[in-house]
Amino acid sequence: MRTWPLAHVDLRTGVGSVLLPNPVLTASGTAGHGAELGAYLDLASLGAVVVKSLAAEPWAGNAAPRVHETPAGMLNSVGLQGPGVAAWREEELPALVDRGARVVASIWGRRVEDYGRAAELLAGADGVVAVEVNVSCPNLDDRSRMFAHSAAATADAVAASAACGFPLWAKLSPNVADLTEIAGAALGAGAEALVLVNTLLAMAIDPVLRTYRLGSGPGGGGLSGPAIRPVAVRAVHDCRAAFPLAGIVGVGGVTRGVDAVEMLLAGADAVEVGTATFREPRAPAQVLAGLSRWCRWHGVDRVRSLVAAVHGAPDITVAVSAETATPDEGDGR
């Protein structure tokens, strides 16, 4: 039994073809479109910064109020407000690049062609290492269902997004009967990785006013935070079992280093920290430091040895280029 912590931990990982210095990322929708969190932490120290989802054109989002705190999380109905890809590239991306961040751009659309247009506008963007295809949004071509509720619609959106020329990560919804069917369609259409999961459909009502707490009214909102972590862990676990070679990013309720460990054991190559940043903007850095401490105290010298360990998977070595970070980057000490 180890009685003294390891001095160093190799935190390097990979999501599909994308090599990262460590497995802790921000989550789309919670870190803004640019370098907002840079006032609280070193963005270059994170595995990557995943920006809020962007449409091809500016989008105003939903009516206020847009967020409501719950006992173990948060409801939101922000409605994917954003400046559009072109404005983002000109006004927000340069600040992220200047800070040394590895950027994952997230795109969404109301129709399949919207994904293609957003992807085309992203082509060649400096600092972008991957594109998250957020299919957990309305599909006007299919009676306002989500793309992520249909295997065929998911595949169409992912295929259209290939125009960006970057590795594609498909962000999926947990609100389906068979997540692995949707995941298989995304991977078959060209996605290198799965981002699991987006928010759970939810609602809050004010008992005194007898009205909805969110401006979206009967449309409700999405539940995030610690309450959904077991759902995300199950999604990661089942998709890793179904697709042993796929890249997987776990997201949902990660607030501590040990939460990240649980996601990795279930099969995630990396994790995203989202709702926790609303309470503590330094949360991603704190999770990264906590992950490193946990590994040191438990004798884990390589974070990759945790990935899919609950499945009995062999330790998979990730090829690391000379440009990736050295072990223990982002240790928090």
Side-chain angles (χ1 to χ4, degrees), residues 60-80:
N62 291 336
R66 293 177 165 187
V67 296
H68 175 70
E69 188 174 4
T70 67
M74 183 183 77
L75 291 179
N76 93 83
S77 65
V78 175
L80 297 164

Side-chain angles (χ1 to χ4, degrees), residues 155-176:
D156 289 344
V158 170
S161 301
C164 67
F166 294 108
L168 300 178
W169 300 358
K171 186 169 187 179
L172 303 183
S173 167
N175 304 295
V176 295

Side-chain angles (χ1 to χ4, degrees), residues 47-185:
V49 174
V50 186
V51 301
K52 183 172 170 58
S53 295
L54 297 153
E57 305 299 332
W59 188 254
N62 291 336
R66 293 177 165 187
V67 296
H68 175 70
E69 188 174 4
T70 67
M74 183 183 77
L75 291 179
N76 93 83
S77 65
V78 175
L80 297 164
Q81 177 183 348
V85 174
W88 174 77
R89 284 189 64 168
E90 180 179 354
E91 300 169 9
E92 303 279 7
L93 180 58
L96 286 167
V97 173
D98 288 346
R99 291 176 180 269
R102 287 156 291 277
V103 180
V104 177
S106 181
I107 60 173
W108 72 280
R110 291 159 65 83
R111 295 183 173 87
V112 171
E113 54 266 32
D114 295 339
Y115 284 91
R117 176 60 177 154
E120 291 172 354
L121 291 170
L122 271 176
D126 291 339
V128 174
V129 298
V131 170
E132 177 188 270
V133 185
N134 182 2
V135 291
S136 307
C137 51
N139 176 4
L140 292 188
D141 290 339
D142 193 13
R143 299 181 182 179
S144 293
R145 294 179 60 197
M146 288 185 185
F147 286 91
H149 291 178
S150 162
T154 293
D156 289 344
V158 170
S161 301
C164 67
F166 294 108
L168 300 178
W169 300 358
K171 186 169 187 179
L172 303 183
S173 167
N175 304 295
V176 295
D178 186 354
L179 181 58
T180 58
E181 177 189 6
I182 308 299

